[in-house]
Amino acid sequence: MLDINSSRQLRAFRAAAYGLFLTLTLPLQAQSIYITEQRVEADVKVYVTKHRTDADLIVFKATYEFDAKGNNGRWYFVDYEFENDKIVHFVKYRSDSDVKIYYTPYKSQAKWRNSEKKHLFQ
């Protein structure tokens, strides 16, 4: 049986190991997206189009974070700002956006249509 000090040290060690793990793996999760209501907080302003042909990026909403690796249009939405790789703000008007996206239900269809804007998510 562990005494109280050993138990605290073990918890502290686990917390430090978990923090190190997150620090090393977060750069690999390249498309974790956090949505902000504040325009000034956003890294990228996004407009959602109704037609695939109008979009710069075809986006697939990933259910799992490991599906969102790379800058290929697979986005995993996170609940907390500290978990993100990019902060986006959805705008009402096309002219206010940096990137226009179209949502697809198929992972295989996610891709950049306008590679000139790809740098915004790197």
Side-chain angles (χ1 to χ4, degrees), residues 35-98:
I35 301 170
T36 181
E37 296 297 321
Q38 304 300 320
R39 182 186 193 112
V40 296
E41 293 177 357
D43 297 323
V44 183
K45 292 175 275 314
V46 176
Y47 176 79
V48 180
T49 67
K50 294 181 182 177
H51 305 285
R52 174 186 311 268
T53 55
D54 294 336
D56 298 317
L57 174 63
I58 311 289
V59 173
F60 171 76
K61 292 182 187 178
T63 306
Y64 304 104
E65 191 171 8
F66 65 82
D67 278 338
K69 290 183 182 176
N71 187 1
N72 57 8
R74 297 178 190 167
W75 288 4
Y76 177 75
F77 290 94
V78 295
D79 295 325
Y80 302 102
E81 189 173 352
F82 67 87
E83 297 174 327
N84 77 47
D85 293 306
K86 286 293 175 182
I87 301 173
V88 301
H89 174 73
F90 288 98
V91 296
K92 200 175 198 177
Y93 303 104
R94 174 189 308 256
S95 59
D96 292 338
S97 70
D98 298 321

